[in-house]
Amino acid sequence: MNKDITTLLFDFDGTLLDTNELIVQTFLSVLGEHFPGEYGREDVLHFIGPSLEQTFTKIAPGKVSELSDQYRRLNRTLHDELVSEYDGVAETLRTLKSRGLKMAIVSTKREETILHGLKLMGVHDVFDVLVALDHVQNPKPHPEPLELALRLLEADQQGALMIGDNSHDIEGGKNAGVRTAGVAWTAKGEEFLASFEPDFMLQHISDLLELTKAGVR
């Protein structure tokens, strides 16, 4: 029998904050400059989720640092204009926090950018732990980021749930031995995410209120 869910590990981009258009536009601009006409919108949707290093290593192994730096500069410039909060996220996160659940961000983005997004949403004080790309050697789907978050939270695998919009989140959760939840609002489509067999599929962020109801009070 599964232990009650008392620990929530959240991806950030595309899960809590809608950064999909920001990511798409940034990739289209950077790749359009270096590889004119080679990448369209459908192509860059596949780059949502992995770290920049993982993506650019596949595209241009000799230009990873250059492309990553250019991407980050442009992304910062466009950020506030192109991002938006998913419905009910801030309210739900605060309710979960008030119930005493342990909560962490586990992302393939750098800490500085995550903190900016959290402050923009007004929820920078909700999370107990933040594990970003610059805190680990191996990003998701490697279990290292999730295992680090669990250690810092002093939480166990049995009561933890990884929530995300991408295959890396589901695979990372499985690799770390925790339960997983996909989000139906993923840019890649619910069917795509369901193919990785998460334990749950959230139709709305507030579904977490029911999933964790029997946990911490």
Side-chain angles (χ1 to χ4, degrees):
M1 182 175 177
N2 282 331
K3 185 177 178 181
D4 291 340
I5 295 169
T6 56
T7 301
L8 299 174
L9 310 177
F10 291 92
D11 176 51
F12 186 63
D13 284 343
T15 299
L16 299 180
L17 186 65
D18 187 352
T19 55
N20 293 321
E21 192 60 28
L22 170 66
I23 294 170
V24 167
Q25 292 302 326
T26 308
F27 270 122
L28 286 176
S29 179
V30 172
L31 294 176
E33 178 182 329
H34 292 269
F35 308 98
E38 290 188 33
Y39 293 92
R41 187 179 184 88
E42 290 301 313
D43 300 309
V44 302
L45 282 176
H46 297 289
F47 305 150
I48 296 176
S51 69
L52 293 179
E53 287 75 11
Q54 288 169 324
T55 295
F56 288 133
T57 295
K58 290 182 179 179
I59 294 172
K63 291 186 172 183
V64 175
S65 293
E66 177 188 353
L67 294 176
S68 296
D69 289 345
Q70 184 178 348
Y71 177 99
R72 290 189 175 104
R73 286 194 301 271
L74 180 59
N75 192 272
R76 280 195 295 270
T77 301
L78 299 175
H79 188 281
D80 293 3
E81 176 188 348
L82 293 179
V83 301
S84 60
E85 182 188 323
Y86 290 111
D87 180 62
V89 168
E91 178 185 358
T92 299
L93 290 175
R94 292 203 173 278
T95 301
L96 292 166
K97 180 72 171 178
S98 72
R99 291 183 179 178
L101 280 98
K102 296 180 178 181
M103 292 165 45
I105 296 286
V106 183
S107 173
T108 54
K109 184 173 269 190
R110 287 185 173 181
E111 179 181 16
E112 177 187 10
T113 313
I114 300 167
L115 286 173
H116 180 77
L118 290 173
K119 289 176 182 175
L120 200 64
M121 296 168 64
V123 294
H124 58 283
D125 58 334
V126 167
F127 295 94
D128 307 295
V129 164
L130 193 162
V131 176
L133 180 65
D134 33 342
H135 299 154
V136 296
Q137 294 295 317
N138 304 289
K140 295 176 293 185
H142 195 282
E144 181 188 348
L146 288 87
E147 291 170 349
L148 175 57
L150 291 174
R151 285 199 304 275
L152 294 172
L153 289 168
E154 297 183 347
D156 58 32
Q157 297 166 307
Q158 289 73 31
L161 178 70
M162 177 71 213
I163 303 115
D165 70 314
N166 198 272
S167 59
H168 281 53
D169 303 309
I170 308 307
E171 292 174 331
K174 292 177 184 293
N175 290 338
V178 306
R179 279 171 283 179
T180 58
V183 299
W185 53 93
T186 170
K188 296 182 180 179
E190 181 178 353
E191 185 177 351
F192 166 81
L193 200 54
S195 70
F196 293 90
E197 300 183 340
D199 297 289
F200 307 99
M201 183 65 73
L202 308 181
Q203 297 300 316
H204 188 272
I205 191 70
S206 60
D207 291 349
L208 287 171
L209 300 177
E210 184 66 26
L211 279 178
T212 59
K213 188 167 62 176
V216 179
R217 288 186 175 84

